[in-house]
């Protein structure tokens, strides 16, 4: 665990599990920007530490990089011992998944049982373990937010993607079960379906340029190939966290304006 110390947050901890160069990093940056101490977790500690350095420097926030393998329950327990040593976890975002080789369909006859089990372990069993680590503290305080990242494979079986779909179906079911059990106790649980291809962050300068354009046509042109901006998606995660409990969202789907039929 590395601490990128700059300023001290008076809020709880935002734990972001599954931080890569796109959505996970953008979510971590958003919560750091809003004043949270952030723990970012993934398998590649070297890359994770670079992200922590970057976010801490840009947002003047306190960021911790912690290695985790979501397919191993022992790794999850050890990682969250580190997270919980930082303080109360107010936000858990579970963004981990087992990537599909080259994102190409695999004939069911060719799917290896080890690969299938690993996908289930990362997509849903890992989410189960992470949620169990933070829920007792959230229930004790009567507040907290758990957000699970899904995709279109959470809703529809897709030929050639049985590993991904089964893991994501189970994650959606877990989210619904936890919402019904724990929302009456003050814990907001929501499932976010990403129905599109996430691109690279466009950055503050790109966002300002887009806002300055006056015509819809110019805005659409600036958005290029229709990929989704992870910084924009991250703002939705933040809005879910700060929702008034009188009208909590339990599931939301996000897609680009020029949405096509995506397979995952």
């Amino acid at each position: 665990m590395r601490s990128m110390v700059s300023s001290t947050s008076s809020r709880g901890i935002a734990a972001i599990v599954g931080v890569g160069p796109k959505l996970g990093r953008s979510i971590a940056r958003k919560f750091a920007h809003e004043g949270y101490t952030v723990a970012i977790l993934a398998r590649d500690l070297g890359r994770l530490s670079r992200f922590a350095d970057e976010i801490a420097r840009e947002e003047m926030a306190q960021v911790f990089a912690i290695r985790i393998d979501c397919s191993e329950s022992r790794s999850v327990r050890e990682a969250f011992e580190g997270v919980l040593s930082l303080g109360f976890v107010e936000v858990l975002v579970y963004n981990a998944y087992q990537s599909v080789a080259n994102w190409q369909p695999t004939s069911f006859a060719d799917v290896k049982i080890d690969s299938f089990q690993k996908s289930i372990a990362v997509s849903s069993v890992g989410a189960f373990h992470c949620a169990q680590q933070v829920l007792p503290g959230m229930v004790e305080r009567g507040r907290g937010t758990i957000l699970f990242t899904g995709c279109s494979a959470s809703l529809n079986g897709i030929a050639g993607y049985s590993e991904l779909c089964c893991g994501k179906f189970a994650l959606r079911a877990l989210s619904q079960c936890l919402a019904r059990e724990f929302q009456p106790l003050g814990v907001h649980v929501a499932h976010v379906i990403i129905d599109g291809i996430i691109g690279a962050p466009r950055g503050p300068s790109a966002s300002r340029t887009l806002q300055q354009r006056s015509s819809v046509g110019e805005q659409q042109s600036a958005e290029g190939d229709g990929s989704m901006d992870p910084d924009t998606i991250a703002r939705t995660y933040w809005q879910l966290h700060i929702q008034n409990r009188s009208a909590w969202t339990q599931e939301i789907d996000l897609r680009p304006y020029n949405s096509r039929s995506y397979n995952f």
Side-chain angles (χ1 to χ4, degrees):
M1 182 172 68
R2 289 183 61 198
S3 169
M4 313 303 164
V5 179
S6 53
S7 62
T8 303
S9 172
S10 60
R11 287 174 155 169
I13 307 301
I16 317 301
V17 180
V19 173
K22 295 181 180 179
L23 181 57
R25 181 168 60 168
S26 290
I27 295 171
R29 181 183 290 112
K30 177 60 178 175
F31 278 86
H33 180 77
E34 297 296 341
Y36 279 83
T37 295
V38 177
I40 57 176
L41 300 92
R43 284 182 297 182
D44 187 338
L45 185 58
R47 184 174 70 169
L48 203 62
S49 296
R50 292 193 296 273
F51 292 160
D53 279 324
E54 170 192 288
I55 296 168
R57 182 178 62 254
E58 293 178 356
E59 303 299 340
M60 296 298 293
Q62 193 170 37
V63 184
F64 295 82
I66 302 174
R67 187 187 181 278
I68 191 172
D69 184 342
C70 294
S71 68
E72 298 180 0
S73 59
R74 179 178 177 180
S75 178
V76 174
R77 288 195 303 270
E78 291 176 349
F80 272 87
E81 285 177 3
V83 174
L84 292 169
S85 72
L86 304 174
F88 161 54
V89 176
E90 185 175 334
V91 183
L92 169 66
V93 176
Y94 193 84
N95 189 55
Y97 67 94
Q98 180 70 13
S99 61
V100 179
N102 300 317
W103 290 105
Q104 297 299 315
T106 302
S107 169
F108 182 71
D110 295 330
V111 175
K112 306 299 183 184
I113 186 62
D114 290 347
S115 177
F116 185 84
Q117 290 175 332
K118 183 68 173 289
S119 184
I120 298 291
V122 173
S123 290
S124 55
V125 180
F128 168 89
H129 283 306
C130 290
Q132 279 200 330
Q133 302 302 308
V134 302
L135 273 167
M138 292 180 176
V139 171
E140 180 182 352
R141 291 167 177 80
R143 62 186 174 94
T145 302
I146 298 178
L147 304 175
F148 297 110
T149 300
C151 60
S152 51
S154 305
L155 304 177
N156 301 293
I158 303 167
Y161 292 93
S162 57
E163 298 165 84
L164 178 66
C165 292
C166 289
K168 288 299 186 179
F169 263 60
L171 179 66
R172 185 180 187 226
L174 176 66
S175 178
Q176 292 180 2
C177 291
L178 295 184
R180 284 159 175 76
E181 182 173 354
F182 291 101
Q183 287 195 168
L185 303 178
V187 182
H188 184 191
V189 182
H191 182 237
V192 183
I193 299 169
I194 309 297
D195 188 12
I197 305 300
I198 300 175
R202 293 168 188 154
S205 60
S207 298
R208 285 194 297 269
T209 300
L210 186 60
Q211 290 170 2
Q212 290 168 358
R213 294 176 184 270
S214 58
S215 73
V216 172
E218 285 178 316
Q219 289 181 10
Q220 292 175 348
S221 175
E223 288 159 359
D225 61 1
S227 64
M228 303 175 74
D229 176 16
D231 289 342
T232 300
I233 298 173
R235 289 198 290 272
T236 298
Y237 282 71
W238 171 253
Q239 290 299 322
L240 287 169
H241 171 55
I242 63 173
Q243 273 187 330
N244 187 283
R245 63 178 60 196
S246 68
W248 270 346
T249 295
Q250 291 190 1
E251 184 167 82
I252 187 171
D253 58 346
L254 306 175
R255 57 178 57 86
Y257 74 96
N258 60 349
S259 176
R260 301 187 296 273
S261 177
Y262 293 102
N263 285 333
F264 44 80

